[in-house]
Amino acid sequence: WSGSVEGRNGVGIMVKEDLVVEVFEVKRLNDRVMTIALKWGRKILYVFSVYALQQGGPEKEKREFLEKLSDNIHDIPEEDLLMVLGDMNCYIGSTRDGLRM
């Protein structure tokens, strides 16, 4: 588990015991985004665990979340593997017909 001191907005990643030896990097980017990198054959697998703000959340926080996630995804080399998991129920706009990520 990784989250705020208040014990909310946490994300985490569970790894099967026999894969733990392949893990070489774990990063907590903020309360809502965590990433882990592990050797996957000849490639590196980057797994992002995310918990997006809900529709009623502040627009500024939603944009910061999406920018942080986007910036870190774009840092992954093209030859490596990427997996994004979690709750992506993040709406930009005041109604459900706004941009949904």
Side-chain angles (χ1 to χ4, degrees), residues 32 51-58 62 87-91 96:
R32 296 179 174 275
Y51 179 66
L53 280 84
Q54 300 303 312
Q55 181 179 356
K62 289 191 274 188
D87 182 354
M88 292 296 291
N89 189 23
C90 181
Y91 293 88
R96 293 189 129 225

Side-chain angles (χ1 to χ4, degrees), residues 14-23:
M14 294 185 352
V15 178
K16 189 176 175 189
E17 191 172 344
D18 59 338
L19 292 176
V20 170
V21 296
E22 304 299 335
V23 174

